[in-house]
Amino acid sequence: MEMVTAAVAAVLSPSVLFFMLVGVLVGAVIGALPGLSVVMAISILTPITFTLDPAEGLAMLLGVYNSGVWAGGISAILVNTPGTPASIMSTLDGYQMTKRGEAGLALGINTIYSAIGGLFSTLVLMVAAFPIANFALKFGPAEYFSLALFGLSMIICVSEKSVVKGVMMGCLGFMLATVGQDSMYAYPRFTYGNVNLLEGIQYVAVMIGLFGFGEVLTQIYESKEIVGLAEKIKIGKIIPSWKQFLDFAPITSLAAFIGVIIGAIPGAGGDIASIVCWDWGKKISKDKDNYGKGSAEGLAVTCIANNSIIGGAMTTMLTLGIPGDAVTAVLIGSLMMYGMQPGPMMFVNNQEFIYKMMVMMVVANIAFLIFGLLTSKMSASLLNFKREYVWAAIVILSIVGSYSVNNSAFDVSIMLLFGVLGFFFKRADFPLPPLILGLILGPMAESNLRRSLALTNGSYSIFFVNPISCVLIIATLLALFGPFLFNLLKGKKNSGDGQS
Amino acid sequence: MTGEIVISVSLMLLTAGAFVISLSFPSGTSDGVPGAGFFPQILCSVIFILNVLNIIQAIKKRKAKPEEAFTTDQITKLKQILVITLATVAMIFLWGSMHFIILCSFYLIIFNIVLKQSPKYYLPGSLATAIIIYIVFEKILNVMLNS
């Protein structure tokens, strides 16, 4: 209890609150602008927060995370263009409400239900994190190796179209993680005599390159002439009625619960949560006929699902060290930069900070709730930012941000290299999140594989004799080959039906 | 699809090279504990095989749906991307040899020229941005931008 009180006091200090509000503001702008992602914002801001106190830095990043997911709904509602992938389903009902002259109500629902989703998932994080972490403390090297493989397999198979490309990118991330001194005997690998590579490839520079610089190059390539996205939109009333709150309560509660579970699955993000919840809502709601035609309930369901994934994703990240989505993959890098390794040991070594993060999540949700309701009438103007100036800002912040990690121009070269590679990978449909995840999980996978084999004199049986490890290996194989086997069985069944 | 094949072939060549290099790393101890070369060798082999599979998939796709040629607009944008990349390379080479505010201003001006923006806005905007970044990073965050 003392730690909780200390965490509340620390988070409510003026400096932490200030940086959180800056994060909420940045997240609102980035989230609302179509094409700019929360991953990009956090990647660029991570090195900037490095010089701050960890509580101030994380407050800023969590502010961006929570408000960015919410703000993605603003452009979805006002101009039928989702600001983030998570808000894709908000276009269906939100934009129809705008066309009906209820843009204010749609924005209000987006803000209020996003905040409720975020607060609910934070509550789940508070309740579930410690028992999961206590369980994970029993993990040995074999379990950690299997866990790293499982985390990678989930993000590969859930997030992208091609499993082959996803696995390849994850392995490439693992391979990049082998650059530098090896974790057991400090033998230099692939360094070519360059001292900058002895410490390995800086994942912060890589993620800024892939999600910041590379994203700008992609947007320049894909850009079309757009003039004044949102100029004359009637806003109207903002707060939904009490009756609407009561009517929406059962279905939105269910959506919040499903959102948390989906968020906790590594690799499944807000886009999947909102699609699944909206689809469920459409099946079981009394108002199902209006779903997709401007249903306020349909919008509330997607908004609550969007933000409720955050607590789920944070639970998996903090307790197991496995990211729940692309943003938490980057946040792992941010925490590691502060000298904290997400996973069960963080609950032993940095317990006080865990409480601070939980309180920060609550405050971030309340902050964007107030900010969102107060600025609803102005939010349309957010969409009229000139994107060329935003690109210029992102590019220069990518350069300076990657430099500031080690005060080294070498890291800027790494950022540029991965920015250009990221552009080409994206053009050819190679998924980027598995690469960064492989880079982060690589050292964990390699060192635990080698430790496990050292314990058994080179016998691989340790991974199958140990029940937790065995379950994780089976789950990994199912995740990778399950869809292929399912399609094969389905094909056989269909051909059997055809013959009969 | 051609892009996919080019990327896959490049990765195959790189991983083949990395595999050969990793053969020179310690392979492990006599009691079966793997050494520094074990993990890279496995990964190189897996990446190589997956790229072969990817090339086969890409060729099948290309047969089913022939690729469209680049449009003039796409070529213009690729040129813009090339100039921005070269400007960034130049910035990295010139880092430390001139004051950050001058370097950053020039970079932003080039960026805006490439994207055909109005000089009325980008000239003062670039200088102002460079000064703000310098103050925030060098003076507040203690990042040594001029070293």
Side-chain angles (χ1 to χ4, degrees):
Chain A
M1 195 61 202
E2 265 177 38
M3 274 193 186
V4 178
T5 320
V8 173
V11 173
L12 293 181
S13 72
S15 63
V16 175
L17 277 181
F18 170 75
F19 284 106
M20 177 162 288
L21 289 176
V22 171
V24 167
L25 185 65
V26 172
V29 174
I30 296 281
L33 290 172
L36 304 186
S37 64
V38 180
V39 186
M40 176 200 272
I42 292 182
S43 303
I44 295 168
L45 285 178
T46 293
I48 298 173
T49 60
F50 188 41
T51 48
L52 304 175
D53 175 75
E56 294 167 351
L58 255 295
M60 196 185 207
L61 298 181
L62 289 176
V64 173
Y65 188 12
N66 285 278
S67 80
V69 176
W70 147 70
I74 295 175
S75 54
I77 289 164
L78 296 179
V79 290
N80 203 23
T81 310
T84 56
S87 53
I88 194 158
M89 297 308 279
S90 303
T91 56
L92 297 178
D93 291 301
Y95 187 59
Q96 293 299 324
M97 288 175 75
T98 298
K99 286 211 288 193
R100 266 200 327 243
E102 294 175 350
L105 181 62
L107 289 171
I109 286 174
N110 179 41
T111 309
I112 293 166
Y113 281 93
S114 295
I116 293 172
L119 288 169
F120 173 76
S121 70
T122 307
L123 189 71
V124 174
L125 168 71
M126 288 170 170
V127 174
F130 283 91
I132 296 173
N134 280 336
F135 173 69
L137 277 173
K138 292 171 191 154
F139 285 16
E143 287 87 350
Y144 272 117
F145 171 70
S146 310
L147 189 64
L149 285 189
F150 175 67
L152 195 64
S153 72
M154 288 304 285
I155 208 159
I156 287 163
C157 76
V158 180
S159 59
E160 295 294 335
K161 295 173 228 167
S162 166
V163 175
V164 172
K165 283 179 184 169
V167 178
M168 200 284 292
M169 292 299 274
C171 290
L172 192 62
F174 271 0
M175 186 67 203
L176 290 169
T178 64
V179 174
Q181 291 177 327
D182 98 278
S183 57
M184 286 183 92
Y185 303 111
Y187 186 87
R189 298 183 293 193
F190 308 112
T191 54
Y192 310 103
N194 189 332
V195 284
N196 292 302
L197 287 172
L198 278 176
E199 290 280 304
I201 293 176
Q202 274 292 332
Y203 49 80
V204 178
V206 175
M207 66 195 194
I208 294 174
L210 292 175
F211 299 115
F213 195 90
E215 185 60 40
V216 170
L217 297 185
T218 305
Q219 288 192 21
I220 290 172
Y221 186 75
E222 291 174 350
S223 61
K224 291 188 183 95
E225 282 298 317
I226 305 168
V227 184
L229 269 172
E231 279 164 353
K232 287 174 188 168
I233 292 171
K234 192 184 159 199
I235 296 296
K237 78 158 189 168
I238 293 161
I239 310 280
S241 68
W242 184 242
K243 187 181 175 300
Q244 280 176 309
F245 272 118
L246 292 177
D247 289 346
F248 300 167
I251 205 155
T252 50
S253 308
L254 180 69
F257 189 71
I258 296 172
V260 174
I261 293 170
I262 292 176
I265 298 170
D271 44 353
I272 294 173
S274 62
I275 292 167
V276 169
C277 291
W278 189 85
D279 195 46
W280 266 70
K282 194 173 164 54
K283 280 178 186 147
I284 60 173
S285 170
K286 288 176 195 163
D287 188 36
K288 59 181 152 197
D289 293 338
N290 283 326
Y291 271 53
K293 295 172 191 161
S295 160
E297 186 187 88
L299 179 64
V301 163
T302 59
C303 295
I304 205 164
N306 280 350
N307 276 65
S308 63
I309 66 121
I310 297 176
M314 292 287 290
T315 307
T316 321
M317 180 195 87
L318 289 173
T319 56
L320 302 175
I322 300 290
D325 62 357
V327 183
T328 41
V330 177
L331 270 178
I332 287 183
S334 314
L335 282 167
M336 283 162 74
M337 212 177 63
Y338 284 118
M340 288 176 263
Q341 176 71 50
M345 285 311 288
M346 195 172 164
F347 285 72
V348 178
N349 300 329
N350 307 95
Q351 202 179 51
E352 199 183 325
F353 200 77
I354 294 274
Y355 283 115
K356 278 185 193 168
M357 285 182 76
M358 289 171 175
V359 178
M360 279 176 202
M361 294 274 292
V362 174
V363 178
N365 279 291
I366 295 170
F368 86 69
L369 173 67
I370 298 168
F371 177 81
L373 291 176
L374 290 177
T375 58
S376 284
K377 300 214 171 183
M378 290 186 287
S379 52
S381 58
L382 267 181
L383 305 174
N384 290 325
F385 267 35
K386 207 162 187 327
R387 61 194 170 157
E388 283 81 0
Y389 298 145
V390 178
W391 290 340
I394 291 167
V395 163
I396 201 67
L397 283 175
S398 297
I399 292 170
V400 180
S402 53
Y403 176 84
S404 62
V405 179
N406 289 319
N407 283 337
S408 156
F410 182 78
D411 287 338
V412 187
S413 322
I414 295 284
M415 185 283 297
L416 176 65
L417 174 69
F418 280 91
V420 174
L421 282 177
F423 167 72
F424 286 114
F425 280 142
K426 230 176 162 184
R427 294 299 322 144
D429 274 338
F430 283 85
L432 300 180
L435 178 71
I436 199 80
L437 194 62
L439 188 59
I440 289 173
L441 293 178
M444 172 178 159
E446 186 187 7
S447 58
N448 284 298
L449 169 70
R450 289 168 71 188
R451 271 189 209 122
S452 307
L453 294 176
L455 288 171
T456 55
N457 290 332
S459 166
Y460 287 86
S461 61
I462 187 169
F463 300 110
F464 304 101
V465 171
N466 191 310
I468 299 170
S469 168
C470 187
V471 168
L472 287 168
I473 296 262
I474 292 169
T476 304
L477 293 174
L478 279 176
L480 291 177
F481 299 108
F484 174 72
L485 291 174
F486 180 74
N487 285 339
L488 205 71
L489 288 173
K490 211 171 144 187
K492 270 191 179 174
K493 198 184 165 203
N494 287 345
S495 63
D497 290 347
Q499 279 168 5
S500 64
Chain B
M1 279 163 270
T2 309
E4 269 184 75
I5 295 170
V6 171
I7 288 175
S8 288
V9 170
S10 312
L11 286 172
M12 282 166 67
L13 292 173
L14 281 173
T15 46
F19 185 87
V20 173
I21 293 168
S22 67
L23 290 174
S24 64
F25 301 157
S27 56
T29 57
S30 55
D31 53 1
V33 179
F38 174 73
F39 209 56
Q41 281 162 21
I42 289 185
L43 290 171
C44 286
S45 313
V46 174
I47 294 170
F48 194 92
I49 293 165
L50 289 170
N51 277 302
V52 172
L53 288 176
N54 194 47
I55 289 172
I56 294 168
Q57 283 184 349
I59 291 171
K60 274 185 186 171
K61 260 195 282 179
R62 196 155 69 166
K63 276 182 186 165
K65 190 185 166 193
E67 207 161 341
E68 288 168 12
F70 281 114
T71 63
T72 323
D73 185 44
Q74 282 173 324
I75 292 169
T76 311
K77 281 170 181 163
L78 281 174
K79 281 181 189 166
Q80 288 178 331
I81 288 168
L82 180 68
V83 176
I84 290 168
T85 306
L86 291 176
T88 314
V89 172
M91 189 177 186
I92 294 168
F93 273 105
L94 292 172
W95 200 289
S97 59
M98 66 168 79
H99 198 279
F100 177 79
I101 294 179
I102 301 169
L103 189 62
C104 182
S105 303
F106 271 124
Y107 180 80
L108 288 172
I109 288 168
I110 292 169
F111 189 91
N112 281 293
I113 290 172
V114 171
L115 295 179
K116 296 169 188 152
Q117 298 303 295
S118 161
K120 198 168 74 178
Y121 297 111
Y122 73 65
L123 285 175
S126 300
L127 187 63
T129 309
I131 292 170
I132 291 168
I133 287 177
Y134 180 76
I135 291 170
V136 171
F137 278 85
E138 177 99 16
K139 302 294 175 195
I140 301 173
L141 301 174
N142 295 320
V143 176
M144 291 174 285
L145 290 173
N146 278 321
S147 63

